[in-house]
Amino acid sequence: MASIELRNLRKSFGAVEVIKGVDLEVRKGEFMVFVGPSGCGKSTLLRLISGLEDITSGEMLFDGKVVNSLTPSKRGIAMVFQSYALYPHMTVYQNMAFGLKLEKGHSKDEIRQRVEKAADMLQIRQYLDRLPKQLSGGQRQRVAIGRAITRDPKVFLFDEPLSNLDAALRVATRIEIAKLHADMHEVTMIYVTHDQVEAMTLADRICVLRDGLVEQVGTPMELYERPDSMFVAGFIGSPKMNFISGKFAEPFGCETVGVRGEHMIINEGPGRWTGKVIHNENLGADSYIYVDIGSEEPVVVRLEGANTYKSGDSVNLSPMDDKIHRFDKAGKPIR
Amino acid sequence: MGATFDIWKLTKQVLFYALVVVIVVVSVFPFYYAILTSFKSGTDLFRVTYWPTSLSLENYRQVFTQGSFPRNLLNSLFVASLTVILALFLAVTASFALSRVRFRGRGLLLMVILAVSMFPQIAVLAGLFEVIRGLGIYNTPWALIFAYTIFTLPFTVWVLTTFMRDLPIEIEEAAIVDGASPWVIITQVFMPLMWPALVTTGLLAFIAAWNEFLFALTFTVSNQTRTVPVAIALLSGGSQYEIPWGTIMAASVVVTVPLVVLVLIFQRKIVSGLTAGGVKG
Ligand SMILES: Nc1ncnc2c1ncn2[C@@H]1O[C@H](COP(=O)(O)OP(=O)(O)OP(=O)(O)O)[C@@H](O)[C@H]1O
Ligand SMILES: [Mg+2]
């Protein structure tokens, strides 16, 4: 229900500047995902938006109003922490009702209704009387999400909420969050993650951060198809984009040519490059083969289904000509 | 092979229990003897026995009827309880600031607090006396509450600060996001998690205040305002040359019982692992 605007936002811890002037607009009801390498300031930026951390300079606006000095609850945000951060001595019900109780002016019945509605959404109704320690990790994280929903926030903040869960649970909870966003489509959500799949599947738009600055903002497909720099090209997509430079790139008229593994073709006849297979990863549905063509790093080729290549096999390969990315010396794309 | 092993094990066990018995006897004997003496009367008092020979309640009757002992008992209870309440209140709020609020000189302040508690009582007696006179609370229970709180605080603050520092920061931040003020965080989120520390420090503060002698002797002069440790020391017998051992022992037993009861009650409350489940750990 709120649009968020950051204007030249900076944050220093002592002498160290961590956020170095971020301009960003998050639209009403948008699902924005922050990604970036470890230590680039994702959590710090999220905490600045939440109000848990003071802004060093710059402006933050919610719906056009400056909120720099407002407390988290005045901003109308709710936050889900990586470590759940439930109140250990309170039952699930009390955990979820705590914020509403502190906000004066809600009757007991209203609080109960809202807690139960949130509990139903997340299917944790049967656990309302339990203590957090009597729940599994996934249930705890759902309670933490439930606690945030109950307060009916304008902005929902998540800091790597799924990273403590095992793979299967992560998928299940990811789908819950996607459903949640669909159900609460007017609530703005900002989500920090390391996980490619979470970023690509959940986001309306992704914001790639690098070393305290915004590198690129765009829809997942924009970032995948038209990265604004080598950094973004290498960061979005799995396996990582192949960067081939030097004499291999010369025919393309650029410093470095980038080709994703899924855009490489193995040629039966002669191809653009030849090399030896050095490693083969069969995942069942698809497989990655690593081919040494003489460039700095081996080239990864993604193939549908399993394959029978062995180390030492010689293969010819070519990039799909319309899918290559060309970069200049500074790492900027040539289009 | 098996036999020698068994003998060795047996010897070790015997030695272990022998040691336990020695320790228990040495530490418990003075109390046992006090209880024994408190039940004796007349000249029995001066006959050394190690088993109960008589069961006379005469000494207890005397303690409660002669002089102002019941009044002293109430004084002690009042002083010790208020000291605990005051010290815990101040310590909880102070340790919240010391463990959670970032400010310049925090580490130094914490060291100073600990250093203060290293002074012997006698060193500050004169200064404290002046302060108490200045405040006009000389010879009132408030003088003792004031002095005891000062002496209890460093330890209490130190322990609670250490404990609070270990509480997960995310829980506090979750509460801030939920709209909790620092006061709400302290009382509704932190205090329930700190029961073990609160009970332990509170109990120690209570015992210290209950048994304190030097300040109590210095800051109170009348029978009406004295606390029990002083009252017991000043108990006098029928004549100047007679020390009323029986009554002293009875009074001592009476004074110790509340402490034992308190410890037994709160021992059950000291449960650890209270933060389990709040954060991933
Ligand atoms: N309270 C703090 N005091 C000093 N430095 C801090 C503080 N919090 C974060 N930093 C520094 O700021 C930088 C960014 O930290 P931040 O936690 O935002 O990274 P991140 O992008 O969330 O990383 P990760 O993906 O590992 O969670 C790091 O170099 C970190 O050391
Ligand atoms: Mg982080």
Side-chain angles (χ1 to χ4, degrees), chain A residues 42-43 159-160 192:
Chain A
K42 304 181 294 290
S43 300
D159 193 352
E160 305 198 29
V192 170

Side-chain angles (χ1 to χ4, degrees), chain A residues 222-235:
Chain A
E222 273 167 20
L223 296 193
Y224 179 83
E225 284 166 358
R226 292 177 63 80
D228 274 348
S229 64
M230 259 174 81
F231 178 81
V232 174
F235 200 82

